[in-house]
Amino acid sequence: MKRLFTSLLITLTSLCMMAQGWPENYSGVMLQGFYWEDNLATTFDLVWIPQSANCGGQSMGYDDLYWFSNYNSSFGTADELKKMISTFKTKGIGTIADIVINHRKNVSNWVDFPKETYKGVTYELKSTDICANDDGGDTKKWATQNGYSLSSNNDTGEDWPGMRDLDHKSTNVQNNVKAYLKMLLEDFGYVGFRYDMVKGYSGAYTKMYNEDAKPQFSVGECWDSSNTIKNWIDATGKTSAAFDFQFKYVVRNATDYQDWRKLAAQNEGNWPLVSSNYNNGSYRQYAVTFVENHDTEVRPDGSSKGPLRKDTLAANAYLLAMPGTPCVFMKHWQAYKQEIANMVAVRKAVGINNMSVPTEVASAKGYYAVQVEGSGSKKLLCVVGTQAGSYTPNNSNWKKVISGYHYTYYVQGIEPANITLPELKEDEKPQDGVYNGVPSFCTIEKGEICAFFEAPVAWGSQIFTWAWMNGGDGKDYVGTTWPGVSATFLGTADNGNKVFKWVSAKTTAPDNIIFSGGGNQTGNLVFTNAGYYTKDGKQDVVTATGVEAIHTTPSYKDNIIYDLQGRRVMEGQMKKGIYIINGKKVIR
């Protein structure tokens, strides 16, 4: 399996080079490239990748340790990283670095940091660069007991327990950060920054760092309400955009409740899409919109923060029609490459950018229609919802260009025949016989014996499982009577079917299983742990992480091993859990 830095060397579309902050009238689309083993079409203009320095072990980079001297990380080597960024640049793609400067990991104790030399200058944070009230005062207590001093300044933002919160009032911290950011731009070739956890320190420091480094793009993770996000952008002197969390949650509410009228909340005081507030909608320029990311999705341990559980395609259709700069989640791209590529192609052909004006056209429980102004006289009409197909525009000038499960795009001012939809390469398409798009909410606990069943709508709202052992007495192997154990409803798949999960009450797996509901049942099916089944039997699947279904017979020798977060793992580091080996999920 290729590592991230090697596997993302793909040709993408041209990038408009603009000034720091976020360009006005920007028409590009960004990809959150947090996962691996993927071939990208000519669709994206920016790719945001993880914090890419060494963190002292297997890590996604949010426990940052080295800033200057060690870039051999969980994703690859420093040379591979530079090669990837350089290749992107020659193809017109900009790489966005994840910047973690709210907190920093220590070398050996609570307060020591690495000493690093860059261009003949030695950089090192001291214990006095740690906020006085770090970890609610626990750090100061430890430091005093062990003969260290902290800064006299309290945190300028929210405290975050777990690592040392940096005092951005410190001149030494400022000098370290400024040199670090310039190095990323000048030596590695990044074009911009995604600032992590910006609520942890005053936005005035993001302004300071951006004015010094002058990135072409800057976006902050200000996870909060509309006004808080707006105030943070103002604090940065508008040198940075921000992720539009309210956009994400408005879309999630519409899909969760299957009430598409809820999308109208985007025009009810929610920045940046409202035109009557915030200087007539000028904050659209600073909105990086999204419908899912690595923090909000359902994680392997089952935790989540407002995930998108259904209608992934409709959510992305809405995202890619609206103003702001859309950021597509890698897992969504992996599951629906052709359709998302088509959506982006239509967006760009119509000329929609981050300042485009949306207008509600129709709103009903079963559908929502929004018109978005493009360039010249071109317009896009996006219709999403469970009844999107039943909506017909009143104006005959609208012409359908693409449609899919719960979404339709119409255009005006441009002929659909003049819009070139991308033709994906063969290695970018799902393989024959592969069932694509397993919902991301299908997660597995460590050591769990389970199965997933995608039930046709006609099978009703309760699904039963009957499992048994070969050579047994014909009874369900957990001792129940027909129809067996009731499965748990997880959510709705993008094709409208309901997805259920059965978990064994035993520590041993059955040999066979049957699913039933509403007077219907499958045939006798061979049981595979964590298998994904439909009425037609077990499916060979491409999951939301882009790899095949779980396999229970591990084989480690001479293989490159990854955990579910994409971090390379050595065999000796493997604990009980699920790993990716040769493109397959394996339970240890």
Side-chain angles (χ1 to χ4, degrees):
M1 181 177 292
K2 298 176 183 177
R3 287 177 286 188
L4 177 68
F5 297 156
T6 300
S7 64
L8 286 177
L9 298 177
I10 310 298
T11 302
L12 302 181
T13 51
S14 62
L15 172 67
C16 180
M17 299 300 192
M18 300 294 286
Q20 70 183 77
W22 206 270
E24 186 177 10
N25 299 318
Y26 182 64
S27 59
V29 177
M30 184 161 69
L31 175 73
Q32 184 186 3
F34 266 47
Y35 300 89
W36 61 96
E37 199 67 31
D38 193 81
N39 292 318
L40 310 180
T42 54
T43 298
F44 301 101
D45 304 271
L46 298 170
V47 172
W48 151 35
I49 68 170
Q51 194 284 125
S52 46
N54 186 287
C55 294
Q58 299 299 316
S59 172
M60 288 297 288
Y62 293 104
D63 53 343
D64 59 319
L65 179 59
Y66 293 98
W67 283 1
F68 298 98
S69 62
N70 189 339
Y71 275 77
N72 295 322
S73 72
S74 301
F75 300 100
T77 66
D79 288 342
E80 288 173 321
L81 172 62
K82 289 183 177 181
K83 181 180 178 182
M84 180 190 78
I85 295 172
S86 175
T87 302
F88 276 176
K89 184 177 181 179
T90 63
K91 302 299 183 180
I93 172 74
T95 308
I96 302 295
D98 209 318
I99 304 299
V100 185
I101 54 174
N102 171 68
H103 51 265
R104 195 172 179 187
K105 190 176 182 178
N106 303 106
V107 177
S108 62
N109 62 36
W110 274 43
V111 298
D112 63 338
F113 299 96
K115 181 182 291 187
E116 303 174 89
T117 300
Y118 170 64
K119 289 187 174 180
V121 178
T122 298
Y123 294 93
E124 182 183 14
L125 296 182
K126 303 292 186 178
S127 65
T128 49
D129 293 319
I130 299 170
C131 295
N133 59 342
D134 181 57
D135 275 15
D138 287 346
T139 305
K140 185 173 184 178
K141 183 186 299 183
W142 184 94
T144 300
Q145 292 173 346
N146 290 274
Y148 293 92
S149 297
L150 304 186
S151 170
S152 60
N153 300 318
N154 284 336
D155 205 328
T156 58
E158 295 181 0
D159 183 33
W160 187 75
M163 270 169 274
R164 306 293 71 77
D165 282 18
L166 302 181
D167 173 23
H168 288 270
K169 291 182 178 181
S170 163
T171 301
N172 188 44
V173 169
Q174 294 171 10
N175 290 339
N176 272 256
V177 172
K178 288 176 180 178
Y180 170 47
L181 298 184
K182 284 186 175 178
M183 181 201 71
L184 293 175
L185 296 176
E186 296 170 4
D187 287 10
F188 283 88
Y190 286 102
V191 300
F193 308 133
R194 178 266 185 188
Y195 287 99
D196 179 65
M197 198 176 172
V198 298
K199 290 168 62 180
Y201 53 98
S202 170
Y205 297 106
T206 300
K207 179 178 187 293
M208 173 190 291
Y209 301 140
N210 278 343
E211 288 179 343
D212 183 75
K214 296 180 175 58
Q216 297 167 38
F217 299 88
S218 172
V219 56
E221 182 208 23
C222 187
W223 195 338
D224 211 306
S225 64
S226 301
N227 282 332
T228 300
I229 298 173
K230 173 189 174 295
N231 291 340
W232 181 81
I233 292 175
D234 288 342
T236 74
K238 293 187 176 178
T239 64
S240 185
F243 285 101
D244 190 352
F245 280 86
Q246 299 311 302
F247 183 99
K248 182 263 188 301
Y249 288 117
V250 166
V251 174
R252 188 280 313 270
N253 290 344
T255 58
D256 263 8
Y257 291 98
Q258 294 291 280
D259 185 349
W260 300 89
R261 294 171 296 187
K262 291 184 178 293
L263 292 179
Q266 298 288 3
N267 294 310
E268 294 176 356
N270 176 56
W271 86 280
L273 304 179
V274 60
S275 60
S276 60
N277 294 331
Y278 302 146
N279 299 324
N280 295 321
S282 63
Y283 283 80
R284 293 192 201 102
Q285 175 180 345
Y286 304 102
V288 177
T289 54
F290 69 104
V291 295
E292 192 74 295
N293 69 20
H294 65 292
D295 283 320
T296 62
E297 68 165 330
V298 177
R299 296 180 174 183
D301 64 1
S303 64
S304 61
K305 296 180 180 179
L308 187 73
R309 296 186 180 276
K310 59 186 75 173
D311 276 309
T312 303
L313 280 170
N316 278 279
Y318 182 74
L319 168 75
L320 292 166
M322 294 293 273
T325 298
C327 182
V328 175
F329 190 39
M330 175 68 93
K331 289 184 179 181
H332 292 175
W333 168 250
Q334 288 174 321
Y336 302 106
K337 292 178 184 176
Q338 184 67 68
E339 293 189 82
I340 289 177
N342 290 348
M343 294 170 191
V344 174
V346 174
R347 175 189 180 88
K348 292 185 175 182
V350 173
I352 294 172
N353 60 54
N354 60 358
M355 297 296 291
S356 294
V357 178
T359 303
E360 180 183 296
V361 173
S363 180
K365 191 174 189 300
Y367 60 81
Y368 186 81
V370 59
Q371 171 186 303
V372 186
E373 306 295 325
S375 59
S377 60
K378 293 179 289 188
K379 301 175 182 178
L380 171 62
L381 179 65
C382 170
V383 186
V384 293
T386 51
Q387 298 174 14
S390 67
Y391 175 81
T392 302
N394 294 328
N395 189 329
S396 60
N397 290 331
W398 288 113
K399 297 180 180 180
K400 183 187 292 188
V401 59
I402 59 173
S403 63
Y405 184 72
H406 291 177
Y407 75 91
T408 306
Y409 274 7
Y410 298 87
V411 294
Q412 193 176 125
I414 182 173
E415 290 296 321
N418 293 332
I419 299 177
T420 302
L421 300 180
E423 179 64 30
L424 294 186
K425 299 175 184 178
E426 287 303 314
D427 62 353
E428 294 173 327
K429 298 177 181 178
Q431 302 173 8
D432 292 339
V434 170
Y435 184 85
N436 199 23
V438 173
S440 60
F441 52 71
C442 293
T443 59
I444 308 104
E445 299 295 328
K446 291 182 179 180
E448 192 173 59
I449 296 173
C450 63
F452 301 96
F453 182 66
E454 182 184 297
V457 175
W459 285 37
S461 60
Q462 187 172 23
I463 295 298
F464 295 93
T465 57
W466 177 266
W468 72 98
M469 306 292 292
N470 290 329
D473 57 8
K475 295 181 180 178
D476 183 274
Y477 90 127
V478 295
T480 60
T481 58
W482 178 263
V485 178
S486 181
T488 301
F489 171 66
L490 296 181
T492 304
D494 281 331
N495 58 12
N497 290 337
K498 293 183 176 181
V499 179
F500 296 81
K501 181 180 182 180
W502 168 81
V503 179
S504 174
K506 289 190 172 184
T507 57
T508 56
D511 294 316
N512 307 283
I513 196 167
I514 293 173
F515 301 94
S516 65
N520 306 285
Q521 69 178 66
T522 64
N524 297 346
L525 306 173
V526 175
F527 177 80
T528 298
N529 193 29
Y532 192 89
Y533 296 83
T534 70
K535 65 181 179 61
D536 300 315
K538 179 182 174 295
Q539 303 298 314
D540 291 323
V541 300
V542 174
T543 69
T545 53
V547 295
E548 293 182 14
I550 286 180
H551 292 254
T552 56
T553 305
S555 176
Y556 311 131
K557 187 177 181 181
D558 299 325
N559 289 311
I560 296 177
I561 305 165
Y562 294 85
D563 66 15
L564 289 181
Q565 282 69 49
R567 302 172 296 201
R568 187 168 178 180
V569 180
M570 306 309 294
E571 183 176 348
Q573 298 172 318
M574 294 175 70
K575 301 176 182 179
K576 289 184 178 180
I578 303 169
Y579 295 88
I580 314 299
I581 302 177
N582 292 333
K584 301 180 186 294
K585 280 186 178 179
V586 172
I587 296 178
R588 179 180 174 88

